Amino acid sequence: MWEIISATLICLFAVFGFVAFLKSLIFKIYKPENENAYLILNRLEECDDLEYTLRSWIKRVEWLGKSAPDRIIIVDKNLNEEQKRICRYFCRESNIFRIMTLEELYETLEK
């Protein structure tokens, strides 16, 4: 009985692993050359742990490699001075971040 259950679980994990491998292979092969991918962080004024959130996004981008977004845009809507200071620090440390107002964001996305 245990042999059947363990063999079923192993086969199930093997199928999931194979599907994940095919998915990553297809996305790597068919990724366009001139793709612009943006990640927009909009609700940071409600974020208590802003520094941790931005550090977490840096690690995610490093881990994703080629499938990572080209730019992470921080929308400046009512950010206080401390939050702006933290965001500016991360913009200097990592060139993937950019702080924009809503107007600048609309202009960028229209292009």
Side-chain angles (χ1 to χ4, degrees):
M1 178 69 178
W2 290 107
E3 296 88 14
I4 296 172
I5 293 173
S6 62
T8 304
L9 285 174
I10 289 172
C11 289
L12 188 66
F13 287 135
V15 168
F16 283 139
F18 185 69
V19 169
F21 170 73
L22 284 179
K23 178 182 144 190
S24 65
L25 184 66
I26 289 170
F27 283 141
K28 289 212 185 277
I29 291 172
Y30 290 112
K31 184 172 180 181
E33 291 289 325
N34 297 335
E35 180 182 26
N36 291 326
Y38 297 108
L39 176 69
I40 301 172
L41 302 177
N42 188 19
R43 300 244 179 224
L44 291 178
E45 66 271 3
E46 300 168 3
C47 184
D48 294 331
D49 53 353
L50 178 62
E51 182 177 356
Y52 175 75
T53 302
L54 297 178
R55 284 190 194 282
S56 141
W57 277 110
I58 288 175
K59 292 301 178 188
R60 288 182 198 181
V61 166
E62 289 173 359
W63 188 74
L64 287 173
K66 286 188 173 184
S67 61
D70 298 327
R71 182 159 311 271
I72 298 176
I73 298 172
I74 301 169
V75 179
D76 183 5
K77 292 186 340 183
N78 302 325
L79 292 176
N80 62 31
E81 287 303 316
E82 178 69 19
Q83 291 170 329
K84 286 182 186 179
R85 185 186 62 76
I86 292 171
C87 291
R88 280 189 232 116
Y89 171 78
F90 279 95
C91 288
R92 284 191 308 270
E93 292 298 313
S94 175
N95 60 355
I96 195 166
F97 288 108
R98 178 137 188 246
I99 302 173
M100 291 185 177
T101 62
L102 281 175
E103 294 79 22
E104 293 171 339
L105 178 63
Y106 292 142
E107 290 173 11
T108 302
L109 295 178
E110 282 180 350
K111 294 179 184 177

